[in-house]
Each structure stands twice: as C-alpha cells, then as structure tokens.
Amino acid sequence: MTRIRDLVITPVAFRDPPLLNSTGLHEPLALRCVLQLHVDDGVIGLGECPGDRGHLDRLAAVREHVIGQSVHALNRIEEAVEQALAGVADPVARRATFSAIEVACLDAQARLAGVPVAELLGGAVRPAVPYAAYLFYKWAAHPGADGDEWGPSTTPGELVEQAQRMIARYGFRSVKLKGGVFAPEREIDAIMALREALPGVPLRLDPNGAWTVETAQRVAGELAGTLEYLEDPVLGVKEMAAVAAAAPMPLASNMCTTSLETIPPAVELGAVQVVLSDHHYWGGLRRTQHLATVCATFGLGLSMHSNSHLGISLAAMTHVAAAIPTLTYACDTHYPWNAGEDVVVPGALRFVDGAVPVPEGPGLGVELDHDALARLHEAYVRSGRQVRDDTGYLRRLQPDFDPSLPRW
C-alpha cells in the first residue's frame, strides 16, 4: 500500500493584466495554491487550486486527515475531507478542497504506474484538447504600472486586434468574449466586428449575469446566427429558462449549473443547453467524467470553464478533457494571459492549432520548477493579499462603481 507521507501547501501570486468583467477588474496579481503530495518511493503528486484564504484554510484543516491514507483510496480520502470540513456549509467549497487533493493523488498514482493521468481516466480519446481564445475588455495598464504587451481593448477594433493576435500566436479556432462590462449595444457591436473579421470562427459571449431577462432576450435575437452559444446572460435558473425559451442559440452556464444537484432543475426548465464543467469546484477529474455522462444522458452539450490558473491546472484540464468522448465544444482557458509566468518547467504544455496536446510522460506530464515556485510564493508573501477582490480593486480606482447585477 502506497501511503501519503506529507501534503505541502504553497500559495503563490503571478502577474495578471487589468482585465474587466461584470464584477470589477482583475488585480495586478492572481492568487493560486500549489499542492505537493509526497507518497512512498519519493513520488510527488501535483495539484493546483485558487489561492484565496478560504481555500488555504480548508486545505490546512484536512491535511492531517489525508496524511497516512493510501494514495489510491480516493473514496476514503474524500470521506475524510468531508468529515474534516463538516462545519463548512458550502458543498462547493468542500468539493473544491477535495478536487485539488484528488488531482495530486491521480498525478502520484499515474507516476507510480508510469502512465499518463488520462490512462487512469479510461484513456485519451483525442491526442490534443481544443481551447478557445478568451478575449477581455482591458485597460492598457494597471494604474502606476507599465503597459503590458496586449495594450488596451475597449473598442470593437481593439478586440478584433486582440483576437487576431491570439489566433496568430496560439492558433485558436474558437473565440469567447467576456462581456457584461459595457452596455449591451456596445458589446453587440464588438461581436459583429469579430464576426466580420473572423468569418466562420465560432463566437461566444459571456455577460456574467449582467442583463435582465428582457435585455437578454432582445440581445439574443439581435445576435441570431452569430453566436455558437450565449453564456450566463442572466442570474438564476428560472431567468435562464425564460431567456432560453426565446433565444435562437444555446445557452451555456457555469453559474446556475455548478453541481450534479443543479442539473435536474436546469433540464426540467430547459434553462441550459451547454454545461461548462470545472474540475476545481465540481469535485475533481472523476466527477467531471460523471458530469459528462449526465450531460450525454440529457442531451446537453459540454465544455469547460476557466479562471486565472497555472500549468498544473491546464495539464489536469487537458487530461480529463482528452478522456471525455462527449466533449462538445472547445474549452476555455486564461493561460495566455499569464505573461509567461508558471510553476512548471517549460516545454510540456504548448498550443498547436489552438489545442493543447496531452502532455507526454507519467502523471500529469508536468514537472515543478522549484525556483519559479519559490519566486511566486515570495510574490504572494510580499503582496499581503488574502483574497481575490475584483470589485474592491475597481472601487479603489472608481469609487462610484456599483457591482449590483443585473446592470442592464
């Protein structure tokens, strides 16, 4: 029996551009947490999750309950995590804690077996996983800082330039715009400009719940024949159902469908046609596969949600997506926005024609760059940051910013 001997939890911070969304503005540093799961025979499994204080505290609370367990006993480990976090009311938070540990366990298991993680998930059905260019409205620079290589993107023309540069660099064949930042008419103009500049390229728009039902129905009608899908235009499953009943394109969600328990009402009401999975809060790679089976059962499309992340997460996303036969759409990823910063040794992860080949080698196929980990941990310590706060950051710069949704 191969036992877990230690769980090392390291918070890190890496550069993040001034990206806008419906709730505010990305701060200069994004927070993540890197897990090193030490098992017998000197093998170390890697995991990654958000780096907010709550995530760190929950991982610290379960650490002693994980040490000593068999690295293969995922069901028992999940039970131990649930028991240790019995006082945490939010099931998504409990699942997110287990998810980071599960990925590290699977990485260790696969390293011990000398096979890729995808093999433990039933085997890859595709050699590479397609990802979409993730466009953002953004400022030229954080206040008081030098501009980044992407420059400003607040107009349709600037967004088109951003998309063209991303496609030229990474080969993306799908494009998603994070909306909910400006008035719907302005974002319609942006989508139409992208459609004209990128004929035949699937487009998506995500207003992050910034619209009312009436606004969403109107915009969906105006964008008929233009979008691959419209993501979370409104908040709430009943509100999504009202939009879906009138929309000419599918609606996608990672906001009203966030667990298996939320699937039945979404199906019953016809609220969602595409579920955006995310192993970080769905409960890990195996549960993401369970979600794929449920989606196939109910005829729902499947893609993958993203938030600011590093290479360990990208590798995990790629392995599980490669092992899901029913993956319907290209996945989301923030990875191109990382300004080249990462905690893994370069070379294992790359984009080829908009897709990431499944990393070769055992486990996740990525190795930890210990110097980079130390550097990004030091950046975390120096920052004094504890939580991600897009709203608070923008309010420091624009005190009258109101994050209340819906906004239009």
Side-chain angles (χ1 to χ4, degrees), residues 384-406:
R385 293 266 310 285
Q386 296 288 304
V387 297
R388 172 176 171 172
D389 186 6
D390 293 5
T391 298
Y393 182 47
L394 186 54
R395 275 182 158 172
R396 292 199 298 271
L397 305 170
Q398 296 179 0
D400 60 346
F401 174 69
D402 182 1
S404 302
L405 300 176

Side-chain angles (χ1 to χ4, degrees), residues 147-393:
D148 58 61
E149 63 172 312
W150 294 98
S153 294
T154 57
T155 68
E158 288 170 340
L159 283 172
V160 166
E161 181 182 358
Q162 184 187 120
Q164 290 172 331
R165 290 177 62 191
M166 276 208 174
I167 290 171
R169 181 176 298 184
Y170 300 102
F172 292 122
R173 297 180 178 181
S174 302
V175 172
K176 171 178 171 175
L177 171 61
K178 176 67 76 176
V181 175
F182 297 113
E185 291 71 24
R186 186 166 170 179
E187 296 187 353
I188 290 172
D189 289 343
I191 290 294
M192 300 309 289
L194 288 166
R195 169 53 62 234
E196 182 178 359
L198 305 170
V201 174
L203 302 178
R204 313 166 185 175
L205 174 61
D206 175 17
N208 266 148
W211 300 342
T212 64
V213 169
E214 294 74 19
T215 297
Q217 290 172 334
R218 174 177 59 82
V219 175
E222 293 189 36
L223 292 177
T226 304
L227 294 181
E228 180 179 40
Y229 59 67
L230 178 60
E231 178 182 341
D232 286 312
V234 295
L235 299 175
V237 65
K238 292 182 180 178
E239 291 77 6
M240 285 283 286
V243 178
M249 72 285 289
L251 297 192
S253 181
N254 73 284
M255 296 174 71
C256 75
T257 50
T258 57
S259 66
L260 291 176
E261 295 83 358
T262 60
I263 296 291
V267 171
E268 181 180 3
L269 296 173
V272 175
Q273 291 74 53
V274 182
V275 176
L276 303 182
S277 64
D278 188 323
H279 75 269
H280 297 93
Y281 60 75
W282 277 87
L285 306 188
R286 298 180 307 158
R287 192 159 282 165
T288 300
Q289 289 186 298
H290 297 165
L291 169 64
T293 300
V294 171
C295 287
T297 300
F298 289 105
L300 302 176
L302 183 69
S303 184
M304 191 172 289
H305 164 262
S306 166
N307 215 318
S308 301
H309 64 86
L310 293 167
I312 298 171
S313 281
L314 181 60
M317 293 163 65
T318 300
H319 276 277
V320 70
I324 293 176
T326 55
L327 185 74
T328 322
Y329 299 93
C331 302
D332 294 344
T333 179
H334 284 60
Y335 198 68
W337 293 107
N338 288 9
E341 293 191 308
D342 205 346
V343 294
V344 300
V345 176
L349 297 167
R350 66 191 192 281
F351 288 87
V352 179
D353 295 329
V356 175
V358 179
E360 298 177 357
L364 292 173
V366 296
E367 300 298 331
L368 196 60
D369 183 331
H370 291 276
D371 290 339
L373 179 67
R375 184 171 62 252
L376 296 188
H377 175 62
E378 178 60 26
Y380 170 85
V381 172
R382 288 198 312 269
S383 76
R385 293 266 310 285
Q386 296 288 304
V387 297
R388 172 176 171 172
D389 186 6
D390 293 5
T391 298
Y393 182 47

Side-chain angles (χ1 to χ4, degrees), residues 36-181:
Q36 298 175 72
L37 190 84
H38 293 252
V39 303
D40 294 335
D41 300 326
V43 170
I44 300 175
L46 301 178
E48 179 191 333
C49 67
D52 286 8
R53 185 76 258 164
H55 289 276
L56 300 178
D57 289 344
R58 287 188 291 274
L59 285 166
V62 305
R63 178 176 174 273
E64 293 300 325
H65 298 267
V66 171
I67 293 174
Q69 300 275 4
S70 166
V71 73
H72 296 280
L74 290 175
N75 293 335
R76 188 171 297 169
I77 292 171
E78 183 172 16
E79 182 180 36
V81 168
E82 286 288 328
Q83 291 175 350
L85 299 180
V88 177
D90 183 3
V92 173
R94 299 196 303 270
R95 283 194 291 267
T97 302
F98 171 70
S99 172
I101 296 169
E102 186 229 39
V103 169
C105 286
L106 290 172
D107 185 32
Q109 289 178 28
R111 289 175 187 269
L112 288 165
V115 300
V117 163
E119 291 298 304
L120 300 186
L121 301 175
V125 296
R126 55 184 63 84
V129 173
Y131 287 88
Y134 207 152
L135 308 186
F136 280 84
Y137 289 104
K138 67 180 294 292
W139 293 353
H142 288 285
D146 294 333
D148 58 61
E149 63 172 312
W150 294 98
S153 294
T154 57
T155 68
E158 288 170 340
L159 283 172
V160 166
E161 181 182 358
Q162 184 187 120
Q164 290 172 331
R165 290 177 62 191
M166 276 208 174
I167 290 171
R169 181 176 298 184
Y170 300 102
F172 292 122
R173 297 180 178 181
S174 302
V175 172
K176 171 178 171 175
L177 171 61
K178 176 67 76 176
V181 175

